[in-house]
Amino acid sequence: MKVATWNVNSLTARWPRVSEWLTATQTDVVLIQETKQNDTKFPFAELRALGYESAHYGQGQWNGVAILSRVGLEDVVTGLGSDEEARCIRATCGGLRVYSCYVPNGRALDDPHYQYKLGWLRDLHSELATRDRTQPLLVGGDFNVAFTDEDVYDPSVFDGLTHVSEPERDALRALIDTGLVDLARQQQPSGPLYTWWDYRKGAFHRAWGLRIDYLFSDADTAQRVSAVAVDRAARKGEKPSDHAPLVVTLR
DNA sequence: ATGTCCCAACTTTTGGGA
């Protein structure tokens, strides 16, 4: 079974790329962020024609998260704590409890949005810390945090900026410390595993990236992983998202 | 030129967000 997380930066703008990618890769479960749609615009019927059930938590212009599945999709839950934005959706697919998360950007260390981001990560921690440990779990999404300096192409560029601050990294560490495994790093302990490159300045071709998209699982599920890959081809070509899909293969 | 893209709107350009 293949599971991917992908921030598509508008499913409306990205539908040609997303539909082509689904057909080409036959990924079983896809965790999507930033649909930037409401439910009336979400392509439920088109996805069904491609063989996918889907659940969407949309907000219109901003945010929006979804789960696509070819292996069943049940027990959908949306939202997180008292958050009013569409940033979290979970469902059970093929025996796995899967999460699609779009963590707030934070904008700047002195911006109220940064405190919103840290609070959001605390709320996610609360939910994961009290989870049903008998259920296989896979938490994915755009976390907008680069966990270590190895996840940043040039740490000096990000000095004093969000995505690399200690409170953000501590929040990600706390999530992992509930008993989760960072699957990309399990497969590749060192070296770049970037998932996002700025549209500006030719960042992708200069390898100026960040690792800010993650797939986390419980320890037993992590033992089932046979491969993890960043699909960099999806970041190339016509009208790509600024994020590449992160894909895990489970035995 | 912050070497870009996406969205909404008092839309044919600007401002906000990432």
Side-chain angles (χ1 to χ4, degrees), chain A residues 51-77:
Chain A
Y52 290 90
E53 292 179 82
S54 52
H56 180 228
Y57 179 34
Q59 189 188 314
Q61 181 182 1
W62 304 116
N63 311 312
V65 284
I67 298 172
L68 323 181
S69 175
R70 308 195 308 168
V71 292
L73 198 161
E74 297 175 329
D75 300 324
V76 175
V77 175

Short mmCIF file of all heavy atoms in Angstrom, two decimals, chain A residues 51-77:
data_model
loop_
_atom_site.label_atom_id
_atom_site.label_comp_id
_atom_site.label_asym_id
_atom_site.label_seq_id
_atom_site.Cartn_x
_atom_site.Cartn_y
_atom_site.Cartn_z
N GLY A 51 -11.28 6.23 -9.31
CA GLY A 51 -11.23 5.10 -8.38
C GLY A 51 -11.04 5.48 -6.93
O GLY A 51 -10.75 4.61 -6.10
N TYR A 52 -11.19 6.77 -6.61
CA TYR A 52 -10.95 7.23 -5.25
C TYR A 52 -12.23 7.69 -4.55
O TYR A 52 -12.99 8.49 -5.10
CB TYR A 52 -9.96 8.41 -5.24
CG TYR A 52 -8.55 8.03 -5.60
CD1 TYR A 52 -8.13 8.04 -6.92
CD2 TYR A 52 -7.65 7.64 -4.61
CE1 TYR A 52 -6.83 7.69 -7.26
CE2 TYR A 52 -6.35 7.27 -4.95
CZ TYR A 52 -5.95 7.30 -6.27
OH TYR A 52 -4.68 6.94 -6.61
N GLU A 53 -12.41 7.20 -3.33
CA GLU A 53 -13.32 7.86 -2.41
C GLU A 53 -12.59 9.08 -1.87
O GLU A 53 -11.37 9.09 -1.79
CB GLU A 53 -13.67 6.94 -1.24
CG GLU A 53 -14.52 5.73 -1.60
CD GLU A 53 -14.79 4.89 -0.36
OE1 GLU A 53 -15.71 5.24 0.39
OE2 GLU A 53 -14.06 3.91 -0.16
N SER A 54 -13.34 10.09 -1.44
CA SER A 54 -12.67 11.27 -0.92
C SER A 54 -13.49 11.94 0.16
O SER A 54 -14.72 11.87 0.17
CB SER A 54 -12.35 12.26 -2.04
OG SER A 54 -13.51 12.55 -2.80
N ALA A 55 -12.77 12.59 1.08
CA ALA A 55 -13.39 13.41 2.12
C ALA A 55 -12.65 14.74 2.12
O ALA A 55 -11.42 14.77 2.04
CB ALA A 55 -13.25 12.73 3.48
N HIS A 56 -13.42 15.82 2.22
CA HIS A 56 -12.83 17.16 2.12
C HIS A 56 -13.34 18.03 3.26
O HIS A 56 -14.52 18.00 3.59
CB HIS A 56 -13.23 17.80 0.78
CG HIS A 56 -12.69 19.18 0.57
ND1 HIS A 56 -13.48 20.23 0.15
CD2 HIS A 56 -11.44 19.69 0.72
CE1 HIS A 56 -12.73 21.32 0.03
NE2 HIS A 56 -11.49 21.02 0.38
N TYR A 57 -12.43 18.79 3.84
CA TYR A 57 -12.79 19.82 4.82
C TYR A 57 -12.29 21.13 4.24
O TYR A 57 -11.10 21.42 4.28
CB TYR A 57 -12.15 19.50 6.17
CG TYR A 57 -12.42 20.50 7.27
CD1 TYR A 57 -13.64 21.18 7.37
CD2 TYR A 57 -11.46 20.74 8.25
CE1 TYR A 57 -13.88 22.07 8.40
CE2 TYR A 57 -11.69 21.63 9.28
CZ TYR A 57 -12.90 22.30 9.35
OH TYR A 57 -13.13 23.18 10.38
N GLY A 58 -13.20 21.87 3.61
CA GLY A 58 -12.81 23.06 2.86
C GLY A 58 -13.24 24.33 3.55
O GLY A 58 -14.10 24.35 4.43
N GLN A 59 -12.64 25.41 3.08
CA GLN A 59 -12.89 26.72 3.68
C GLN A 59 -13.04 27.79 2.61
O GLN A 59 -13.21 28.96 2.94
CB GLN A 59 -11.71 27.05 4.62
CG GLN A 59 -11.88 28.26 5.49
CD GLN A 59 -10.60 28.60 6.23
OE1 GLN A 59 -9.96 27.73 6.79
NE2 GLN A 59 -10.21 29.86 6.22
N GLY A 60 -12.94 27.40 1.34
CA GLY A 60 -12.98 28.40 0.29
C GLY A 60 -11.60 28.86 -0.10
O GLY A 60 -10.74 28.05 -0.45
N GLN A 61 -11.34 30.12 0.03
CA GLN A 61 -10.12 30.76 -0.50
C GLN A 61 -8.83 30.23 0.11
O GLN A 61 -7.79 30.18 -0.56
CB GLN A 61 -10.24 32.26 -0.25
CG GLN A 61 -9.08 33.07 -0.74
CD GLN A 61 -9.27 34.54 -0.40
OE1 GLN A 61 -10.27 34.93 0.21
NE2 GLN A 61 -8.33 35.35 -0.80
N TRP A 62 -8.89 29.86 1.40
CA TRP A 62 -7.67 29.50 2.11
C TRP A 62 -7.76 28.09 2.68
O TRP A 62 -8.85 27.56 2.89
CB TRP A 62 -7.38 30.46 3.27
CG TRP A 62 -7.31 31.88 2.87
CD1 TRP A 62 -8.14 32.89 3.26
CD2 TRP A 62 -6.37 32.49 1.99
NE1 TRP A 62 -7.76 34.08 2.70
CE2 TRP A 62 -6.67 33.86 1.91
CE3 TRP A 62 -5.27 31.99 1.25
CZ2 TRP A 62 -5.94 34.76 1.12
CZ3 TRP A 62 -4.54 32.87 0.48
CH2 TRP A 62 -4.88 34.24 0.42
N ASN A 63 -6.60 27.51 2.95
CA ASN A 63 -6.49 26.23 3.66
C ASN A 63 -7.26 25.14 2.92
O ASN A 63 -7.32 25.14 1.71
CB ASN A 63 -6.96 26.39 5.11
CG ASN A 63 -6.30 27.60 5.77
OD1 ASN A 63 -5.09 27.75 5.66
ND2 ASN A 63 -7.08 28.45 6.42
N GLY A 64 -7.89 24.24 3.65
CA GLY A 64 -8.62 23.14 3.02
C GLY A 64 -7.76 21.89 2.98
O GLY A 64 -6.65 21.90 2.45
N VAL A 65 -8.27 20.80 3.56
CA VAL A 65 -7.54 19.53 3.62
C VAL A 65 -8.45 18.41 3.15
O VAL A 65 -9.69 18.50 3.26
CB VAL A 65 -7.01 19.24 5.04
CG1 VAL A 65 -5.79 20.11 5.35
CG2 VAL A 65 -8.10 19.45 6.09
N ALA A 66 -7.85 17.34 2.61
CA ALA A 66 -8.64 16.26 2.06
C ALA A 66 -7.90 14.93 2.22
O ALA A 66 -6.68 14.91 2.43
CB ALA A 66 -8.93 16.51 0.58
N ILE A 67 -8.68 13.85 2.12
CA ILE A 67 -8.12 12.50 2.10
C ILE A 67 -8.75 11.77 0.92
O ILE A 67 -9.98 11.78 0.76
CB ILE A 67 -8.41 11.75 3.41
CG1 ILE A 67 -7.73 12.47 4.60
CG2 ILE A 67 -7.92 10.31 3.32
CD1 ILE A 67 -8.11 11.92 5.96
N LEU A 68 -7.90 11.19 0.08
CA LEU A 68 -8.36 10.37 -1.05
C LEU A 68 -7.95 8.93 -0.77
O LEU A 68 -6.84 8.69 -0.30
CB LEU A 68 -7.70 10.82 -2.36
CG LEU A 68 -7.46 12.32 -2.58
CD1 LEU A 68 -6.82 12.55 -3.95
CD2 LEU A 68 -8.74 13.10 -2.45
N SER A 69 -8.83 7.98 -1.09
CA SER A 69 -8.48 6.59 -0.79
C SER A 69 -9.09 5.62 -1.78
O SER A 69 -10.25 5.75 -2.17
CB SER A 69 -8.96 6.24 0.63
OG SER A 69 -8.72 4.86 0.90
N ARG A 70 -8.29 4.61 -2.15
CA ARG A 70 -8.77 3.49 -2.96
C ARG A 70 -8.95 2.24 -2.09
O ARG A 70 -9.24 1.16 -2.63
CB ARG A 70 -7.75 3.14 -4.06
CG ARG A 70 -7.32 4.31 -4.91
CD ARG A 70 -6.62 3.83 -6.16
NE ARG A 70 -5.55 2.90 -5.86
CZ ARG A 70 -4.92 2.15 -6.77
NH1 ARG A 70 -5.27 2.23 -8.05
NH2 ARG A 70 -3.95 1.35 -6.42
N VAL A 71 -8.74 2.38 -0.77
CA VAL A 71 -8.79 1.21 0.12
C VAL A 71 -9.77 1.42 1.26
O VAL A 71 -9.60 0.89 2.35
CB VAL A 71 -7.37 0.90 0.67
CG1 VAL A 71 -6.45 0.42 -0.44
CG2 VAL A 71 -6.78 2.10 1.39
N GLY A 72 -10.83 2.18 0.98
CA GLY A 72 -11.84 2.44 1.99
C GLY A 72 -11.60 3.76 2.68
O GLY A 72 -10.47 4.25 2.76
N LEU A 73 -12.69 4.38 3.15
CA LEU A 73 -12.59 5.69 3.81
C LEU A 73 -13.77 5.80 4.77
O LEU A 73 -14.91 5.94 4.34
CB LEU A 73 -12.61 6.79 2.75
CG LEU A 73 -12.09 8.18 3.15
CD1 LEU A 73 -11.74 8.99 1.91
CD2 LEU A 73 -13.13 8.92 3.96
N GLU A 74 -13.46 5.71 6.05
CA GLU A 74 -14.52 5.65 7.07
C GLU A 74 -14.18 6.56 8.25
O GLU A 74 -13.02 6.92 8.44
CB GLU A 74 -14.67 4.21 7.59
CG GLU A 74 -15.10 3.22 6.53
CD GLU A 74 -15.12 1.78 7.06
OE1 GLU A 74 -14.31 1.46 7.95
OE2 GLU A 74 -15.95 1.00 6.57
N ASP A 75 -15.23 6.84 9.03
CA ASP A 75 -15.06 7.56 10.31
C ASP A 75 -14.30 8.87 10.15
O ASP A 75 -13.30 9.13 10.85
CB ASP A 75 -14.35 6.66 11.34
CG ASP A 75 -15.15 5.37 11.61
OD1 ASP A 75 -16.39 5.45 11.62
OD2 ASP A 75 -14.52 4.31 11.78
N VAL A 76 -14.79 9.70 9.23
CA VAL A 76 -14.14 10.99 8.97
C VAL A 76 -14.42 11.96 10.12
O VAL A 76 -15.56 12.08 10.58
CB VAL A 76 -14.67 11.59 7.65
CG1 VAL A 76 -14.10 12.99 7.43
CG2 VAL A 76 -14.33 10.68 6.48
N VAL A 77 -13.35 12.62 10.59
CA VAL A 77 -13.47 13.67 11.62
C VAL A 77 -12.72 14.89 11.11
O VAL A 77 -11.59 14.78 10.62
CB VAL A 77 -12.90 13.21 12.97
CG1 VAL A 77 -12.92 14.35 13.99
CG2 VAL A 77 -13.68 12.01 13.50
#
